[in-house]
Amino acid sequence: MNILGINAVFHESAAAIIVDGKVLAACEEERFSRIKHAKEARVDNPQQLPANAMRFCLDYAGISPEEIDVVAYSFEPRLRRSKFRPEWWPDRRLEDVFLKSLDEIDGAVTQLMGASFGGALKFVPHHLAHAASAYYPSGFDNAAILVIDGIGEADCSMLARGEGNHVSVVESLAYPHSIGFLWEQISVYLGFSSYDAAKVMGLAAYGDPAVFGKTFDNILQLNDHGYSVDAKAVGFQSVDPRGLEALFGPRRPPDGDFLPHHINVAAALQAATDAAVLSLLRRLEHVVGGERLCLAGGVALNCVTNSVIARESGYRDIFIPSAPHDAGTAIGAALFAHCAQRGASRPIGGASPYLGPEYNEREILAAVRAAGLTPRKCSDAPREAADLVADGNIVGWFQGRMEFGPRALGNRSLLADPRRPDTRAILNRRVKHREDFRPFAPSVLAEHAEEWFDLGPLSPSHEFMLFACRTRPGRAELIPAVIHEDGTARVQIVRRSANPRYHSLISHFHKRTGAPLVLNTSFNDCEPIVCTPAQAIATFREAGLDAVFMGDILITAQT
């Protein structure tokens, strides 16, 4: 059974392929198209498919389009039609355009694949695809499942249960009660784009949540079912959240200064989100119970909230996939379709983030020479890279299969010395060209992580940079470049079994410096994370990196 999973309805377009229940490959379209998020979330483009990602998946699996048994798309048009309410749009014609575009998905798949799939095109409800993306790779035989994002067909949060091969919906919170949309509106109010929740999360550490705490108590209200959102106060039907100015003061222009009220709004939003998610989890504990939890949806990328869940909820075993946002529903739709087959076996894989393209030495050398550079082959690339990082260089680390998800986890990464106080400023200003308050993450050897950070209940998802952990006493001053304003770090633990080459690099750095960690940020400037050797070389030049290792091939600023 060959199943191709697709996400394309809103943004973060992606594809994944499963063969006989095994996840073989998955990739976001933006890595090929070089357009962030692949496309805008518009009503007229859910039929715009991730063509490049789909082709990669087929090629990697060695399968022709005619050999695909099921195409699983992570949205169910019939569910949207049954749950739609006219008050969702200021203009009802927008829904007509959306539904017409959804009706064109079948034709778009047929045209791209060169074959008609008919009944083999399966539409999987969006939140069930999210749930499947977390539950099946978790390895749990049973678990409570929580999905929180902007919106699916109609729901904004979903409580579910996973048992064996079956995922079932328990309760849902429908639009307009959307934490995801609340973050989008606040992001725009703060002068960012609607995609910049991560920036707001970083900014929140500098503010005082009490200043606007009572205001957010009225916007994001806690109740017996979890929470509700006052959509009118936030202005969900408008792309211009001017209503927020009456609550908080003047919005920040995109290039404006951050005033105290902007920073305090971010802090209050983070605190309100933490409280709302804990309230929803209390409801989940009541209706599902258990000690195992799977999280998915865009809100599951909030590492601050995830750490609050780990510390304060009743769940001790927590799994979050490396791509809990919409891209992950490509895997989830395929997994759900697989498990819907009669007698289906339990799926294999999907937990590892290393599911994207990889390039051999011949391809790397061809790209280096095409760029007019002189390559050098290393006998021990991890050791040489560690030495360069320890000497204060910014090093690109391009290895193996690309990560699936929004965070580089040691295969498409920029590495730097976490001990240097000026590293963060150099990266933000010279390399990444972004705001000074943005933090960077540490990749730390798993065998030493507890010595440096309070990880809380250990989760496999600590390997995906999804928790904000406090630093152990006396450690923060040793690694200032990866410690955020609130004393936490977005930790990625690195196991030898999961990424032996990256583990070797950090081990060499540890032997030389005494610090079992390096600063890790995504290998990009303002564009999507690099995918190919040519893209890595372009970013190397444009961002002024000191060196790049692609496999065993080294290029430096001197070459």
Side-chain angles (χ1 to χ4, degrees):
M1 178 67 68
N2 304 321
I3 303 176
L4 183 67
I6 300 171
N7 171 64
V9 67
F10 298 127
H11 46 72
E12 318 303 345
S13 299
I17 194 160
I18 296 176
V19 175
D20 294 334
K22 183 175 182 180
V23 180
L24 294 186
C27 190
E28 292 115 306
E29 179 69 8
E30 68 165 22
R31 309 296 169 82
F32 301 101
S33 69
R34 313 310 295 160
I35 299 171
K36 275 198 168 185
H37 315 289
K39 64 186 184 73
E40 295 180 34
R42 298 201 317 259
V43 295
D44 64 346
N45 68 4
Q47 78 283 28
Q48 183 179 323
L49 302 178
N52 295 294
M54 292 164 66
R55 291 190 190 100
F56 156 70
C57 288
L58 291 170
D59 290 345
Y60 188 88
I63 290 173
S64 67
E66 294 77 16
E67 294 175 289
I68 292 294
D69 298 295
V70 175
V71 176
Y73 187 99
S74 62
F75 195 86
E76 173 51 273
R78 289 178 298 179
L79 188 58
R80 174 72 177 199
R81 284 183 165 91
S82 68
K83 290 197 170 188
F84 171 73
R85 299 291 177 268
E87 63 270 19
W88 289 3
W89 295 110
D91 184 343
R92 174 62 171 80
R93 289 173 294 182
L94 293 171
E95 185 67 14
D96 295 335
V97 173
F98 186 49
L99 294 175
K100 181 177 181 296
S101 300
L102 290 171
D103 289 339
E104 295 173 4
I105 292 170
D106 194 346
V109 171
T110 297
Q111 182 177 5
L112 184 61
M113 301 282 284
S116 178
F117 286 87
L121 175 60
K122 304 294 185 184
F123 292 102
V124 177
H126 190 69
H127 279 181
L128 281 175
H130 268 308
S133 76
Y135 173 64
Y136 293 120
S138 72
F140 298 153
D141 293 326
N142 59 80
I145 306 171
L146 177 61
V147 175
I148 315 177
D149 63 2
I151 192 171
E153 290 79 10
D155 297 328
C156 305
S157 293
M158 183 184 78
L159 313 182
R161 175 187 289 110
E163 292 180 299
N165 267 17
H166 188 60
V167 173
S168 57
V169 180
V170 176
E171 291 180 2
S172 294
L173 276 70
Y175 182 85
H177 304 296
S178 173
I179 293 177
F181 281 170
L182 176 59
W183 275 77
E184 289 185 8
Q185 292 291 95
I186 297 293
S187 294
V188 175
Y189 167 81
L190 292 174
F192 306 126
S193 80
S194 59
Y195 293 108
D196 285 331
K199 293 185 181 182
V200 178
M201 182 177 66
L203 185 65
Y206 293 83
D208 180 358
V211 174
F212 293 111
K214 290 185 178 179
T215 305
F216 269 97
D217 286 344
N218 294 322
I219 294 174
L220 191 52
Q221 302 165 3
L222 308 188
N223 55 46
D224 291 341
H225 291 279
Y227 68 89
S228 62
V229 175
D230 185 345
K232 290 183 179 179
V234 181
F236 278 176
Q237 289 191 349
S238 171
V239 295
D240 182 9
R242 284 172 291 183
L244 295 174
E245 294 189 85
L247 296 173
F248 303 123
R251 62 189 294 182
R252 173 183 168 264
D255 295 323
D257 294 331
F258 290 97
L259 302 177
H261 72 276
H262 299 138
I263 301 170
N264 291 330
V265 165
L269 172 63
Q270 180 65 62
T273 299
D274 296 344
V277 173
L278 284 177
S279 178
L280 199 56
L281 282 171
R282 286 192 290 271
R283 179 66 181 170
L284 184 63
E285 291 177 53
H286 175 72
V287 297
V288 176
E291 293 187 348
R292 295 171 171 173
L293 173 68
C294 295
L295 283 173
V299 176
L301 284 171
N302 191 310
C303 59
V304 176
T305 298
N306 293 343
S307 292
V308 171
I309 293 170
R311 291 195 310 267
E312 301 184 26
S313 77
Y315 293 101
R316 300 274 64 86
D317 294 325
I318 300 172
F319 182 80
I320 313 166
S322 67
H325 61 332
D326 274 8
T329 64
I331 285 183
L335 288 170
F336 190 87
H338 166 79
C339 290
Q341 306 294 319
R342 186 185 301 274
S345 60
R346 184 67 186 252
I348 302 170
S352 170
Y354 307 113
L355 294 170
E358 60 183 332
Y359 298 86
N360 60 37
E361 189 170 287
R362 177 182 55 79
E363 293 168 314
I364 292 168
L365 286 171
V368 173
R369 288 168 180 147
L373 298 172
T374 303
R376 179 169 71 82
K377 187 167 183 177
C378 305
S379 59
D380 191 343
R383 181 184 296 275
E384 288 199 39
D387 285 338
L388 284 170
V389 172
D391 289 337
N393 295 285
I394 309 298
V395 173
W397 187 244
F398 182 104
Q399 305 290 324
R401 298 187 69 180
M402 184 175 64
E403 301 90 337
F404 184 57
R407 291 170 183 159
L409 300 171
N411 279 8
R412 298 292 186 276
S413 292
L414 299 182
L415 308 179
D417 190 341
R419 302 169 302 155
R420 293 174 54 128
D422 60 344
T423 297
R424 181 164 145 180
I426 291 170
L427 279 166
N428 273 329
R429 295 174 189 176
R430 191 192 89 189
V431 177
K432 306 285 280 190
H433 302 105
R434 65 185 201 176
E435 299 85 357
D436 284 342
F437 67 82
R438 302 280 297 279
F440 292 99
S443 293
V444 56
L445 298 174
E447 52 268 41
H448 294 284
E450 286 282 5
E451 301 167 14
W452 288 71
F453 302 98
D454 180 5
L455 300 178
L458 196 60
S459 163
S461 303
H462 277 98
E463 297 180 41
F464 308 149
M465 211 181 285
L466 287 169
F467 295 92
C469 306
R470 293 206 169 272
T471 315
R472 295 291 187 190
R475 299 293 194 180
E477 55 267 31
L478 302 177
I479 48 171
V482 293
I483 305 302
H484 202 18
E485 183 71 9
D486 58 2
T488 65
R490 193 175 65 188
V491 173
Q492 176 203 1
I493 67 171
V494 180
R495 299 187 187 281
R496 187 188 304 274
S497 58
N499 196 328
R501 200 166 172 86
Y502 193 36
H503 187 278
S504 177
L505 186 158
I506 304 170
S507 296
H508 287 306
F509 186 84
H510 181 210
K511 290 175 183 176
R512 174 163 168 184
T513 68
L517 65 150
V518 295
L519 182 153
N520 172 22
T521 187
S522 54
F523 197 152
N524 64 340
D525 182 354
C526 297
E527 78 281 8
I529 297 172
V530 301
C531 175
T532 69
Q535 293 162 7
I537 292 167
T539 299
F540 160 71
R541 284 173 156 166
E542 293 164 8
L545 306 181
D546 298 302
V548 172
F549 290 82
M550 293 184 285
D552 288 326
I553 302 303
L554 168 64
I555 57 175
T556 67
Q558 286 72 43
T559 61

